[in-house]
Amino acid sequence: MITVLVVDDHPIVRAGLRATLEADPGLRVVGEAASGEEAVRLVREFAPAVVLMDLQLGAGMDGAQATARVRELPGAPRVLILTTYDSDADILRAIEAGAIGYLLKDAEPADLLRALRSAAAGETVLAPSVATRLTSRERAPGVSLTPREAQVLQLVAGGHSNSAIARQLFISEATVKSHLVQVFGKLGVDNRTAATAEGRRRGIIR
């Protein structure tokens, strides 16, 4: 029996996932969480084998941050990301945080069930489009942003100033500027607006 904790901020989505998973006799949903903070607490309480984690969880801790916290716990469960986003920034942050797999919400139920079993067995699971994107990064490393650079660019796209980005990421403004210099150079642009547009065009950010 594989025990699963479902983490998503939408009650309807959680209910649908619970119904899908519990239709399989080899899976049991031991809890549901609507936030990253609740997910960490419930992992401590129920010790599931796998956490099925959304990335966008509203205010507070997001899915990547929650994944990192969960993976730091004693006897940490595997974390399988299930989200609608497949930008480089999202994928890289999740993998860097310790997620063993990354699926998109358009996956077939049978694929999700297989992915959960694979994750529980310690096998990496990636949606086809995610695997393709990661392979492309390996083939063209010169134009690939680091996870931190992609994160900074995503925040720039969200309209955040350098000082706001520095506060959110707990780094100095000088470090933010350094990251942006690297981003501009790699993308072949010379300003924030052009970097955002090019990042979206390449699928680096959403």
Side-chain angles (χ1 to χ4, degrees):
M1 178 67 68
I2 298 171
T3 54
V4 183
L5 174 69
V6 175
V7 185
D8 195 292
D9 60 339
H10 293 99
I12 291 177
V13 173
R14 293 199 306 273
L17 288 171
R18 176 183 280 273
T20 298
L21 302 188
E22 293 195 331
D24 187 312
L27 301 172
R28 180 164 63 91
V29 176
V30 294
E32 299 177 16
S35 69
E37 291 80 2
E38 187 179 16
V40 175
R41 180 177 63 80
L42 292 182
V43 166
R44 289 194 180 102
E45 182 176 347
F46 296 121
V50 181
V51 177
L52 191 59
M53 179 83 72
D54 191 13
L55 282 183
Q56 299 301 309
L57 298 173
M61 193 185 298
D62 66 18
Q65 292 168 324
T67 296
R69 289 281 299 278
V70 164
R71 292 297 298 160
E72 291 171 353
L73 297 174
R78 314 289 186 182
V79 179
L80 177 62
I81 301 297
L82 182 65
T83 184
T84 57
Y85 303 111
D86 65 349
S87 72
D88 281 12
D90 292 308
I91 297 167
L92 294 173
R93 283 192 66 220
I95 293 174
E96 190 178 50
I100 196 169
Y102 198 109
L103 289 186
L104 302 179
K105 286 185 176 178
D106 61 0
E108 294 293 332
D111 292 334
L112 173 59
L113 297 178
R114 279 194 294 271
L116 280 166
R117 284 192 164 79
S118 295
E123 300 171 5
T124 300
V125 186
L126 298 174
S129 63
V130 173
T132 298
R133 191 177 295 282
L134 291 177
T135 300
S136 297
R137 283 180 57 84
E138 291 298 320
R139 289 175 178 169
V143 297
S144 298
L145 304 188
T146 67
R148 180 64 91 186
E149 289 166 354
Q151 188 178 18
V152 168
L153 183 57
Q154 184 71 66
L155 291 170
V156 167
H160 296 279
S161 66
N162 285 1
S163 60
I165 294 171
R167 287 194 300 272
Q168 183 161 336
L169 300 183
F170 301 102
I171 57 179
S172 69
E173 284 192 57
T175 301
V176 173
K177 291 177 183 176
S178 177
H179 284 313
L180 286 176
V181 168
Q182 293 297 318
V183 169
F184 291 176
K186 289 180 178 181
L187 298 183
V189 300
D190 60 5
N191 62 75
R192 298 162 76 94
T193 301
T196 297
E198 185 65 11
R200 285 177 173 149
R201 186 185 72 79
R202 296 190 187 200
I204 296 170
I205 58 174
R206 60 179 181 270

